[in-house]
């Protein structure tokens, strides 16, 4: 009553256009500049990302407090170390993090270093691997295992962080890719110097099956680029005009640019990379490697999700070229086995699914066997839809973990935004610990 109705700028006068513009600009600046010296990366988009930040700060700091409104963090701890390791912060005490340099330099939050070497099916996000390595408090001298190493995301990320690891996979292509990611950072720039004419000659000699090179890394790199080129050609007519030669050269130049960016960042931050050991083998036969009993500090892995997709067939071009027997791989591939066997049954699920679960359980038993007492594990897995029915793989995996002896620690659901495949909406990270 009797009160003067104020306008938005606290007066009863109407502001001028200039005043409005100026006030908005000030307001904008207040929000755009975070009120803190340790700020979130712009790539943090979901609640799961907030959980992942929380998780890694537990391993990296002595004490921390996340302010999700301001998108800042307050912490106590070694700021230089955190800056080199953290995967969710853009700045740590004013200075940009190593991860920010990766994102800025490669223009992508996941395709940095050699992670984007080849479109391997079912790759996981390097950012998640980095987060888990941080959460588990792993450091140089520790040993990590991924027994479903695929194209080597775990082993590559561990190498970049200066931590030793062992990667096992059943597919020869996975082994080639993991080894490439392992060895490329140790090449010299001269070893990657090829003229366009030389590259065209290499392409031709690969096509004639006459390609040779004394350096295994260069030899496999060229083959991999060739497989990727041919695959792109077969899948779409988009590259017809460009031609195979130009596509091959472009792909090579992309990898070379990845190398140069990586070395630049390595020098800027004074990083020391580690080499991983890569093995072509069966996760179900892990106990064959007796020296791995109670050997690992952590396992970070992602078994195949149950799908009715022809995983092995995705690399058909490569396997036909290399003369690899694909049926033999399929006979050991989790979720692709067809043979009839007697095991536990789970409702009226197809036998193939039951076999898949039986193998999954066995692989989790092997993980328990390979970890040290106090060792940490993270399994990344998703539920898929089989014949219109959702398979409860995540909860079954969690149950298996507890059955074999793991203490359950945490489950984070990570939605796969923009995933086109409707059969899979997201994946879960199941974390546990071996406590004897
Ligand atoms: C979801 S993918 C893992 C991808 C990996 N995280 C990456 O980033 O490339 C599952 C992997 O399990 C492998 N695999 C399937 N059966 C296996 C077995 N019996 N032993 C070892 N690896 C197996 C597949 O070849 C595939 O690479």
């Amino acid at each position: 009553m009797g009160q003067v109705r104020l306008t938005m700028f606290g007066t009863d006068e109407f502001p001028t256009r200039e005043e409005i513009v100026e006030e908005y600009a000030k307001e904008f600046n207040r929000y755009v500049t975070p009120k803190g010296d340790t700020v979130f990366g712009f790539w943090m988009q979901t609640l799961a990302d907030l959980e992942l930040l929380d998780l890694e700060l537990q391993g990296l700091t002595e004490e921390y407090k996340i302010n999700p409104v301001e998108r800042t963090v307050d912490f106590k701890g070694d700021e230089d170390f955190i800056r080199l390791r953290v995967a969710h912060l853009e700045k740590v005490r004013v200075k940009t993090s190593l991860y920010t340099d990766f994102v800025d330099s490669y223009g992508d939050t996941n395709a940095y270093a050699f992670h984007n070497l080849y479109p391997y099916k079912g790759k996981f996000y390097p950012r998640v691997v980095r987060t888990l390595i941080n959460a588990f408090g792993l450091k140089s001298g520790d040993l990590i295992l991924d027994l479903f190493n695929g194209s080597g995301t775990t082993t590559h990320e561990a190498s970049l962080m200066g931590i030793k690891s062992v990667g096992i996979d059943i597919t020869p292509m996975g082994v080639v890719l993991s080894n490439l990611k392992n060895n490329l950072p140790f090449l010299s720039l001269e070893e990657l110097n090829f003229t366009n004419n030389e590259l065209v000659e290499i392409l031709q000699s690969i096509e004639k099956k006459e390609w040779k090179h004394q350096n295994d890394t260069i030899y496999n790199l060229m083959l991999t680029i060739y497989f990727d080129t041919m695959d792109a050609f077969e899948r779409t007519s988009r590259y017809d005009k460009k031609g195979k030669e130009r596509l091959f050269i472009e792909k090579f130049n992309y990898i070379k640019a990845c190398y140069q960016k990586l070395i630049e960042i390595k020098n800027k931050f004074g990083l020391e990379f580690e080499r991983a050991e890569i093995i072509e083998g069966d996760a179900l036969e892990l106990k064959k490697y007796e020296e791995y009993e109670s050997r690992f500090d952590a396992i970070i892995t992602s078994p195949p999700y149950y799908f009715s997709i022809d995983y092995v067939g995705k690399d058909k071009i490569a396997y036909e070229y290399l003369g690899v027997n694909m049926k033999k791989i399929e006979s050991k591939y989790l979720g692709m086995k067809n043979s009839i066997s007697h095991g536990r049954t789970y409702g009226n699920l197809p036998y193939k699914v039951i076999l898949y679960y039986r193998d999954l359980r066995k692989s989790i038993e092997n993980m328990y066997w390979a970890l040290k007492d106090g060792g940490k594990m993270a399994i990344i897995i998703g539920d898929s839809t089989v014949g219109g029915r959702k398979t409860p793989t995540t909860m079954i995996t969690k149950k298996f973990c507890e059955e074999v002896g793991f203490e359950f620690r945490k489950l984070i659901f990570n939605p796969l935004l923009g995933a086109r495949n409707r059969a899979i909406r997201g994946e879960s990270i199941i974390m546990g610990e071996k406590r004897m």
Side-chain angles (χ1 to χ4, degrees), residues 369-384:
W369 171 87
L371 276 177
K372 285 180 185 167
D373 189 18
K376 315 275 193 342
M377 70 85 182
I379 297 179
I380 296 160
I381 195 128
D383 297 335
S384 48

Side-chain angles (χ1 to χ4, degrees), residues 50-312:
L50 204 52
E51 280 195 85
L52 293 174
L53 169 68
D54 189 62
L55 199 66
E56 64 174 350
L57 291 177
Q58 286 173 29
L60 288 175
T61 64
E62 289 157 32
E63 236 176 73
Y64 66 95
K65 194 164 184 326
I66 297 174
N67 182 339
V69 177
E70 298 295 346
R71 304 175 71 81
T72 57
V73 172
D74 260 341
F75 71 89
K76 238 203 218 156
D78 179 348
E79 64 176 71
D80 293 329
F81 180 68
I82 298 168
R83 197 174 290 121
L84 289 181
R85 297 279 297 252
V86 77
H88 291 89
L89 297 178
E90 184 187 323
K91 284 184 185 156
V92 177
R93 300 252 158 88
V94 183
K95 289 196 214 152
T96 55
S97 64
L98 165 71
Y99 203 84
T100 304
D101 262 46
F102 275 144
V103 174
D104 287 350
S105 166
Y106 289 83
D108 193 295
T109 53
N110 281 302
Y112 56 88
F114 293 107
H115 283 301
N116 202 29
L117 180 69
Y118 184 85
Y120 192 80
K121 194 71 202 159
K123 256 196 296 205
F124 55 36
Y125 299 117
R127 171 152 58 99
V128 172
V129 176
R130 179 167 283 258
T131 301
L132 291 166
I133 291 179
N134 288 335
F136 293 160
L138 300 171
K139 48 196 181 316
S140 91
D142 288 341
L143 190 63
I144 303 173
L145 170 68
D146 186 347
L147 65 174
F148 296 103
N149 195 41
S151 63
T153 309
T154 303
T155 43
H156 190 40
E157 195 61 16
S159 299
L160 297 174
M161 294 169 84
I163 301 173
K164 279 205 169 77
S165 61
V166 174
I168 301 177
D169 202 272
I170 199 75
T171 61
M173 202 51 201
V175 171
V176 166
L177 297 170
S178 305
N179 264 325
L180 276 176
K181 291 177 189 174
N182 207 12
N183 294 325
L184 282 167
F186 294 95
L187 289 185
S188 66
L189 185 58
E190 291 73 57
E191 288 173 289
L192 285 171
N193 273 344
F194 292 93
T195 63
N196 284 355
N197 281 344
E198 282 169 334
L199 289 170
V200 171
E201 278 168 23
I202 290 171
L203 172 66
Q204 288 163 351
S205 69
I206 294 176
E207 289 193 310
K208 285 191 243 150
K209 297 212 169 178
E210 287 169 1
W211 166 235
K212 282 197 206 78
H213 200 277
Q214 71 276 16
N215 181 325
D216 264 3
T217 304
I218 300 292
Y219 175 79
N220 284 319
L221 175 65
M222 295 299 182
L223 280 184
T224 299
I225 297 173
Y226 169 75
F227 299 147
D228 191 14
T229 303
M230 297 313 289
D231 185 58
F233 251 77
E234 280 199 6
R235 273 187 291 111
T236 155
S237 55
R238 210 173 36 185
Y239 301 114
D240 284 359
K241 231 173 99 200
K242 183 172 285 183
K244 250 187 296 187
E245 284 81 4
R246 267 185 56 207
L247 194 58
F248 184 83
I249 294 170
E250 260 176 30
K251 285 185 184 290
F252 173 82
N253 285 336
Y254 168 75
I255 309 279
K256 188 171 167 184
C258 287
Y259 170 87
Q260 285 169 305
K261 288 173 186 174
L262 184 61
I263 298 304
E264 214 171 276
I265 292 178
K266 177 178 189 260
N267 293 340
K268 174 171 169 190
F269 287 89
L271 305 178
E272 298 271 356
F273 298 150
E274 258 300 348
R275 270 179 204 274
E277 189 186 340
I278 308 295
I279 300 172
E280 186 177 326
D282 187 345
L284 303 184
E285 292 173 16
L286 188 67
K287 291 185 183 166
K288 258 189 7 196
Y289 307 94
E290 287 168 18
E291 68 276 22
Y292 288 156
E293 184 173 6
S294 307
R295 178 78 185 81
F296 294 92
D297 299 279
I299 292 178
I300 298 172
T301 196
S302 175
Y305 300 0
Y306 186 84
F307 268 134
S308 32
I309 284 182
D310 182 9
Y311 269 121
V312 181

